[in-house]
Amino acid sequence: EGLIPSKFWKEEILKEGWYLGDTYNLSIGQGYVLTTPIQIAQATAVFANGGLLCDPLLKQTDKPNCSKMSISDETMKTIRE
């Protein structure tokens, strides 16, 4: 599992407030961010795939395993713009 921290996460887990520096660190993938490159690729591919979250394929012979995310058309349009 990966972690993209939020104000709620930091307050609940670390019992600290969210600072502007946390936002800066998050925006460049540092600080409390714990992800792998493939997790970031999966997250961004959702928007390229029209809202489908697909497991990575290790071999070309594997069949895709995808699930539809509940993202509104309006949100999808805004993000893709």
Side-chain angles (χ1 to χ4, degrees), residues 6 14-15 18 29 31 37 39-42 58 60 74 78:
S6 66
L14 301 180
K15 309 295 186 216
W18 187 266
Q39 287 172 321
I40 296 298
Q42 276 186 282
L58 300 178
Q60 288 183 345
E74 182 179 331
T78 300

Side-chain angles (χ1 to χ4, degrees), residues 44-79:
T44 55
V46 167
F47 305 105
N49 294 334
L52 291 176
L53 175 64
C54 301
D55 292 338
L57 299 179
L58 300 178
K59 297 182 277 182
Q60 288 183 345
T61 57
D62 290 344
K63 292 189 176 193
N65 180 27
C66 301
S67 57
K68 182 76 172 161
M69 303 296 295
S70 58
I71 303 171
S72 72
D73 291 340
E74 182 179 331
T75 299
M76 184 69 70
K77 181 182 176 200
T78 300
I79 291 171

Side-chain angles (χ1 to χ4, degrees), residues 25-53:
N25 285 337
L26 175 63
S27 71
I28 60 172
Q30 294 184 347
Y32 300 108
V33 175
L34 299 173
T35 61
T36 64
I38 195 72
Q39 287 172 321
I40 296 298
Q42 276 186 282
T44 55
V46 167
F47 305 105
N49 294 334
L52 291 176
L53 175 64

